[in-house]
Structures are given as structure tokens and as C-alpha cells.
Amino acid sequence: MQRVSQASCTVNGEITGKINTGFLVLLGIEEADTLEDLTWLAQKIVNMRIFYDESGLMNKSLADVDGRILLISQFTLFAQTKKGNRPSFIKAAKPAQAIPLYEKMIAELAQLSNTKIETGIFGADMKIELLNDGPVTIMMDTKDKDRH
């Protein structure tokens, strides 16, 4: 998740999603992910307080700054690079499993944030443009909830 001043996704020359202040969320879905994982992650994203308050402290959430979310599916987050120079994506969920979970995440984020979620197109060759604000990038792993 990256805090952005603006971000957009273009597929085949057409903008599929665009936001100003908010979060660019790069979502990787692995075979072991469940609906419970998505619910936990959606709540974390929507409630994350990483926008500056009047004192210059990261203390405001997405709702506090009237922010939006651009959600992009990205299986390459599960690249395994231990052997050789060609990454393996064996842990990434196959589309039959990943697409319903991705769509559930869109719905969950929309419900929790009470806003339309901007998106890319699952599996497409997407061009992402962003102006990272900070930069602030937060990595969250649903398989390591105790660390988050």
C-alpha cells in the first residue's frame, strides 16, 4: 500500500481507475488466502492512519482526508527468487481462485470506506502512474498478522 497524491491505471490506452489523495493498493493473492484474510486486510487498509495531521504526525486515516483507493491485482508480489534468475510465481493463486477474492476485496473496501473503489483490470497489462507521497509504503501480509 502506498500513500499517494495521485495514481491512475491505464489499460490499452484507456484509464480504468484514477484517484487523487489516497492509497494505491497492490494486492497479491496467494493460494492460502481466505475470506477472513481479506476482511482483516480491508479493515487494516481503510483504518490505517498514515496521513499527516495539523501537528505533522501520521495520525489521519483515509476517511479523515477524504481519500480514495486504487486497487490493483499484482500476482508478481509472490515472486520467489531463491533459485536462478527467473522468478517463480507458484504461490500466487490461479485466476479461478484469485478473481473472486479480488472482487470480494473491492466490495469489502467499498463497504468499509463508503466510496467507490477505483481498479485496474485483473490479469491485464496495466500501466500504473503514481505520485508517491512521502514516500510512504506499507507492506502487510495476512499470514503474519502478529507483526502488523
Side-chain angles (χ1 to χ4, degrees), residues 9-16 121 123-128:
C9 176
T10 303
V11 177
N12 296 324
E14 299 286 327
I15 294 176
T16 63
I121 296 176
D125 180 16
M126 297 177 274
K127 307 301 180 204
I128 309 299

Side-chain angles (χ1 to χ4, degrees), residues 57-98:
L57 300 173
M58 285 190 198
N59 205 23
K60 289 189 173 188
S61 70
L62 203 58
D64 296 329
V65 298
D66 197 27
R68 304 284 303 280
I69 296 171
L70 173 59
L71 181 69
I72 304 295
S73 62
Q74 189 172 354
F75 76 92
T76 59
L77 290 170
F78 290 106
Q80 293 180 322
T81 58
K82 185 175 180 181
K83 286 176 44 181
N85 293 316
R86 183 169 180 257
S88 169
F89 304 105
I90 194 125
K91 285 190 172 187
K94 304 291 183 267
Q97 176 189 3

Side-chain angles (χ1 to χ4, degrees), residues 9 37 43 45 47 51 63 65 85-86 89 101 113 129 148:
C9 176
D37 291 326
Q43 289 172 347
I45 290 168
N47 294 306
F51 293 95
V65 298
N85 293 316
R86 183 169 180 257
F89 304 105
L101 290 175
S113 68
E129 291 188 51
H148 300 285

Side-chain angles (χ1 to χ4, degrees), residues 14-28:
E14 299 286 327
I15 294 176
T16 63
K18 184 175 183 177
I19 64 169
N20 287 316
T21 300
F23 296 146
L24 168 62
V25 177
L26 304 173
L27 179 67

